[in-house]
Amino acid sequence: MSATITKGGAKLTGRRHRLDRPELLAPAGSLEKLKFAVHYGADAVYIGGQKYGLRSNADNFSFDEMREGVEFAKRYGAKVFVATNIYAHNEDIEGLEDYLRNLQDAGISAVIAADPAIIETVQRVAPKLEVHLSTQQSVLNWRTVQFWKEEGLPRVVLARETSLEEIAEIKSKVDIEIEAFIHGAMCSSFSGRCVLSNHFTDRDSNRGGCCQSCRWKYDLFVDEEMIASEEDNAFTMSSKDLCMIEHLPELIEVGVDSFKIEGRMKSVHYVATVVNAYRQAIDAYFADPQGYELKPQWVEEIHKAANRPLNTGFFFDTPGTEDHIYEPEDKQAPYDFAGVVQSYDADSGIAIIQQRNNFKPGQEVEFFGPGGTFFKQVITEIQDEEGNVLDAARHPLQRVLVRTEQPVKPMDMMRKRIR
């Protein structure tokens, strides 16, 4: 069965995806982030272990944490994938087999890999693990997808440079699961193949050490004449972030099987907010595909967590000058994650909230939770757990009592506007 849609005058035809509905795949840089991602609607999460992944600065998982994460995910019917997506040097091979067996024993569903040596080793020593081909392989065409299918891989993560039209053609010619990034940071290089970090800081971007040198400020010279200075008008290679919340029907109809959100280094608030918005949009589409309409509040929620200006990447055209950030970028989202609900007493209307950023009486805050739970209120009074009235919740992870105007649930979040 196929689906045909049009976008910008181009006809896009793709085989309907093999999954009943696309998987929402979220990043989890820590065990806490994993739990919030799953609670807020992710069908699967991808994490990093303490070896072989490309986010060496994340709070990567021990095997005990993996097991705990897998057990938590199972309660929601979700899966856990592990990134093993480095390009290995000789010294990386020792210990690989044991590491992969431990992933399998921990209940991990799949690994995300790019290096053929790692892929072959997974298939040989840990056959219960699916292998998903990493975007690090820069796959852009159906013949390459066919090659990896014939190598036994059930899923390919496409390069970020793949267009929607190209995805449609791939799906029409190869019966395989396709995963595509639909939200998050874009790489100024070709799908992560940058070596600027290696040259500038001796940190290998393809072995987990990228220093994000594309986000630095630079002086710009033409024929030895400085035409832009980092002091007054910073020049940078920084790209805008990807956001496809407004184009989910197109992605669904061409048959993208897994919608991947980037951001293992992002905050708990970012992960929960972005996952929650996409979850609601996906569910609304499948509840009524013909009557589906994008709700403005989903887009608004995305912007409450956005780190940078947003665009649609390579899906509809090749990014131009307008898709890059040349001025000093304001990375600060307009809201701060202020607290997370730990419990709620319906009789008194009092919630116990764990503080994550300073808040005080008189401030307007927003509470939100999975599935569209949302309301605003002004904080009237804050007490500590001994009943003492406080002028502010200022201590990190402090548990305080706050009266809420509507019922809340554990793991609901509270945020405050900062600009």
Side-chain angles (χ1 to χ4, degrees):
M1 207 175 162
S2 65
T4 302
I5 62 173
T6 59
K7 177 65 183 178
K11 181 180 287 188
L12 308 177
T13 303
R15 181 180 301 166
R16 293 185 69 89
H17 47 72
R18 297 166 58 218
L19 303 182
D20 291 336
R21 61 174 63 198
E23 169 189 270
L24 182 58
L25 176 58
S30 68
L31 183 58
E32 181 185 46
K33 293 174 188 176
L34 180 153
K35 292 179 178 180
F36 274 91
V38 170
H39 182 69
Y40 276 74
D43 299 303
V45 295
Y46 63 100
I47 68 174
Q50 295 178 347
K51 291 182 177 181
Y52 306 110
L54 288 185
R55 289 294 180 269
S56 59
N57 292 326
D59 295 328
N60 291 316
F61 285 63
S62 67
F63 291 119
D64 285 342
E65 289 173 323
M66 287 183 191
R67 282 186 279 270
E68 183 177 345
V70 167
E71 287 304 311
F72 183 90
K74 281 182 178 178
R75 295 202 291 270
Y76 290 78
K79 298 179 180 180
V80 180
F81 308 151
V82 172
T84 57
N85 53 347
I86 67 165
Y87 282 106
H89 289 240
N90 288 332
E91 67 251 35
D92 297 316
I93 298 301
E94 184 177 357
L96 175 62
E97 292 187 3
D98 288 340
Y99 179 81
L100 296 171
R101 291 189 186 99
N102 285 331
L103 294 183
Q104 180 173 265
D105 293 343
I108 299 300
S109 295
V111 294
I112 305 165
D115 192 315
I118 294 177
I119 293 170
E120 182 277 332
T121 306
V122 176
Q123 293 171 326
R124 177 167 48 83
V125 306
K128 293 181 181 179
L129 291 174
E130 284 190 0
V131 182
H132 298 169
L133 189 73
S134 171
T135 192
Q136 290 295 106
Q137 270 286 348
S138 301
V139 174
L140 293 155
N141 66 83
W142 70 266
R143 290 289 296 273
T144 303
V145 172
Q146 181 67 37
F147 169 85
W148 286 109
K149 178 185 177 181
E150 291 170 1
E151 290 296 309
L153 274 61
R155 178 182 296 189
V156 168
V157 187
L158 295 178
R160 288 174 173 87
E161 296 79 20
T162 316
S163 71
L164 199 67
E165 189 171 4
E166 288 171 324
I167 294 173
E169 184 174 2
I170 289 168
K171 288 296 293 186
S172 71
K173 292 183 176 180
V174 188
D175 184 18
I176 193 172
E177 290 181 9
I178 290 298
E179 181 176 308
F181 282 95
I182 53 99
H183 194 93
M186 297 288 284
C187 185
S188 289
S189 183
F190 197 95
S191 279
R193 293 178 178 271
C194 180
V195 293
L196 284 178
S197 179
N198 304 57
H199 289 298
F200 291 167
T201 65
D202 199 27
R203 288 167 51 180
D204 192 337
S205 55
N206 292 306
R207 297 170 81 196
C210 180
C211 67
Q212 296 198 36
S213 46
C214 58
R215 309 287 186 190
W216 294 1
K217 298 177 181 179
Y218 292 90
D219 297 332
L220 178 63
F221 291 81
V222 174
D223 294 331
E224 299 185 357
E225 179 184 355
M226 183 187 293
I227 64 172
S229 169
E230 65 168 295
E231 295 181 357
D232 52 21
N233 186 24
F235 177 82
T236 176
M237 295 170 281
S238 181
S239 57
K240 294 182 179 180
D241 282 2
L242 175 66
C243 176
M244 290 294 286
I245 188 75
E246 298 182 42
H247 301 282
L248 291 185
E250 291 98 318
L251 293 167
I252 292 167
E253 290 301 321
V254 299
V256 177
D257 295 278
S258 180
F259 292 171
K260 188 169 192 171
I261 298 169
E262 181 275 338
R264 278 194 283 145
M265 301 292 288
K266 298 288 177 50
S267 69
V268 171
H269 172 253
Y270 176 93
V271 171
T273 300
V274 173
V275 168
N276 200 20
Y278 278 99
R279 177 78 279 153
Q280 292 176 68
I282 293 168
D283 290 349
Y285 176 87
F286 280 93
D288 183 9
Q290 301 304 316
Y292 173 81
E293 291 184 2
L294 177 75
K295 292 186 178 180
Q297 58 262 40
W298 300 335
V299 180
E300 183 181 351
E301 284 293 294
I302 291 290
H303 282 281
K304 289 177 181 178
N307 293 79
R308 303 182 185 93
L310 304 172
N311 68 9
T312 56
F314 289 80
F315 279 104
F316 301 120
D317 52 31
T318 300
T321 55
E322 71 280 2
D323 296 302
H324 290 76
I325 304 167
Y326 298 105
E327 301 293 331
E329 58 178 299
D330 185 357
K331 291 187 177 181
Q332 191 175 43
Y335 285 80
D336 249 354
F337 176 27
V340 57
V341 175
Q342 298 202 317
S343 65
Y344 174 74
D345 182 75
D347 293 331
S348 65
I350 298 292
I352 296 179
I353 296 175
Q354 186 186 65
Q355 187 261 35
R356 294 303 177 95
N357 275 294
N358 185 300
F359 64 92
K360 59 187 178 182
Q363 283 186 317
E364 185 180 70
V365 297
E366 296 179 356
F367 285 92
F368 70 99
T373 299
F374 179 87
F375 66 93
K376 296 180 181 181
Q377 72 167 68
V378 174
I379 298 292
T380 54
E381 184 178 85
I382 303 172
Q383 297 181 5
D384 64 19
E385 292 186 279
E386 286 72 45
N388 301 308
V389 176
L390 305 175
D391 64 349
R394 56 171 51 90
H395 302 298
L397 304 183
Q398 179 182 18
R399 286 161 51 96
V400 297
L401 279 63
V402 173
R403 186 180 301 279
T404 62
E405 294 179 2
Q406 296 184 30
V408 290
K409 297 178 181 179
M411 298 184 77
D412 283 358
M413 289 188 171
M414 184 183 81
R415 60 186 169 215
K416 62 176 184 178
R417 190 173 186 93
I418 54 176
R419 59 182 174 89

